Amino acid sequence: MISSHPNRSNTGTGVTLAFICLIILGTLPVVSNSRPPGTSALAFAFFLSVWQLIFSLPLFIHELISGRRGLFGMEGGSRERGRVAAVAVVTGIMFGLATWCYVLSMEKAGAVSASIAIQTYPLFAILVEMVLIRQGKSFLELALTLGLVLDLYYLGTGGTWQLAGISAWFLAALGVPLLWSIAHVLIREELTTTPITPAQVTFFRVLLSAVFLGAVMGGTGDGGRFFDTMPYAAAMGCLYYLELLVWFHAVRHINISLASAVTTPWPAVTMVLAALFLGDKIQGYQVTAFFIAVGCVGALLAAGAARNRSR
């Protein structure tokens, strides 16, 4: 059973780390959409995953040299080791798919709309926590969750409320937080029950993601514009790696839904940067949807904290 009650003394540290994630998350969509035209989403997702792997190597090796063996010093039978390996493979594939969907939805749905869709990660985190750890929710929390769903529908239809207005690319954006939430809940179990370190989690996550995306890219023959893409893939890979590392440290101190709630306003950073560097025009319905989502998530956070205090 996954623990849903992190040490309260570490809450401040977890929130601070999650806030750092907020800044990085707001920057990533702009970097992704700044890449040269003609670079496919699949190829860019693979290249940035390779760069993530490269950036993750120094800390991974440093821990081993310094004697912090983590997973490699884990005691237990083959069954426990097999479970850890299975979780690594499954979540690696999930993260690989999420990275592909992320790049594709940013390009096709637009940085701002895709960012707001992905920003509703708390909605999926709450639903996954309810299913996997059987964490009950109050009526208010369920009502606010419904509010988030309606807000997503409004955003997906471009503010028209017409079902025909929802694009496949917007749905691809929603696939990102769904995959993230499932994978993060599974990984948090390993972080809290095994000696594996956040650096090792990050290394194996990007290694398996790169292998998966490389296999898919090899099967499709999609190589992309290799040399033109590298500076953007390196920048994206570096920032994404830092965000992952900080995120896994954060969720060691606070639960998934709280950490994701702290990062909720990151599309506001994307809005400003996209307008400045990409020339994107911010639509009124996007601003409306963003503030509704922030309000719902903020209220969800307060309702969850009140429920925990009453226990």
Side-chain angles (χ1 to χ4, degrees), residues 34 107 148 168 197 208 210 246:
S34 296
E107 175 188 341
L148 269 176
T197 68
L208 292 165
V246 174

Side-chain angles (χ1 to χ4, degrees), residues 258-275:
L258 173 55
S260 57
V262 173
T263 62
T264 296
W266 67 265
V269 177
T270 301
M271 283 185 189
V272 174
L273 295 179

Side-chain angles (χ1 to χ4, degrees), residues 4-290:
S4 60
H5 302 288
N7 190 329
R8 291 178 183 272
S9 64
N10 294 327
T11 299
T13 299
V15 169
T16 300
L17 293 172
F19 182 77
I20 295 173
C21 291
L22 178 152
I23 303 300
I24 300 175
L25 286 168
T27 306
L28 286 174
V30 178
V31 177
S32 180
N33 280 6
S34 296
R35 71 186 191 276
T39 305
S40 75
L42 176 58
F44 188 68
F46 170 69
F47 294 146
L48 76 87
S49 295
V50 170
W51 277 106
Q52 280 182 283
L53 182 62
I54 293 171
F55 284 117
S56 71
L57 271 173
L59 183 56
F60 177 77
I61 295 173
H62 171 73
E63 285 192 347
L64 292 179
I65 294 175
S66 64
R68 191 180 181 189
R69 296 184 57 80
L71 181 64
F72 298 101
M74 184 179 74
E75 298 179 356
S78 58
R79 183 175 182 180
E80 184 176 5
R81 293 177 183 274
R83 188 199 73 239
V84 173
V87 169
V89 171
V90 170
T91 56
I93 292 174
M94 286 182 178
F95 281 127
L97 283 171
T99 302
W100 186 5
C101 289
Y102 181 100
V103 175
L104 187 63
S105 62
M106 289 296 168
E107 175 188 341
K108 300 295 186 178
V112 174
S113 288
S115 295
I116 297 172
I118 294 171
Q119 167 245 22
T120 56
Y121 175 101
L123 166 64
F124 295 94
I126 287 171
L127 295 176
V128 170
E129 286 179 346
M130 288 176 65
V131 173
L132 295 185
I133 67 176
R134 298 178 183 178
Q135 187 179 58
K137 302 298 177 181
S138 67
F139 175 79
L140 177 58
E141 287 175 296
L142 293 176
L144 290 168
T145 299
L146 176 61
L148 269 176
V149 172
L150 292 175
D151 187 49
L152 275 177
Y153 180 78
Y154 172 73
L155 176 65
T157 61
T160 66
W161 296 101
Q162 300 296 317
L163 183 60
I166 297 181
S167 72
W169 309 122
F170 183 78
L171 296 178
L174 292 179
V176 176
L178 174 60
L179 290 166
W180 278 354
S181 60
I182 297 172
H184 284 155
V185 168
L186 292 174
I187 286 175
R188 188 168 188 272
E189 167 73 355
E190 305 309 316
L191 283 169
T192 55
T193 61
T194 72
I196 192 169
T197 68
Q200 290 175 344
V201 169
T202 305
F203 173 79
F204 288 115
R205 168 249 192 268
V206 296
L207 171 63
L208 292 165
S209 292
V211 169
F212 170 74
L213 291 171
V216 175
M217 192 174 73
T220 60
D222 183 359
R225 296 173 57 182
F226 184 83
F227 292 104
D228 292 344
T229 306
M230 283 305 104
Y232 299 91
M236 184 86 171
C238 179
L239 288 172
Y240 205 166
Y241 165 69
L242 290 175
E243 192 276 330
L244 285 172
L245 189 61
V246 174
W247 174 262
F248 288 133
H249 275 287
V251 298
R252 271 194 151 182
H253 301 293
I254 55 179
N255 61 31
I256 298 294
S257 54
L258 173 55
S260 57
V262 173
T263 62
T264 296
W266 67 265
V269 177
T270 301
M271 283 185 189
V272 174
L273 295 179
L276 289 175
F277 297 102
L278 300 178
D280 288 4
K281 293 183 179 179
I282 310 304
Q283 304 296 326
Y285 74 88
Q286 292 173 324
V287 176
T288 300
F290 167 71

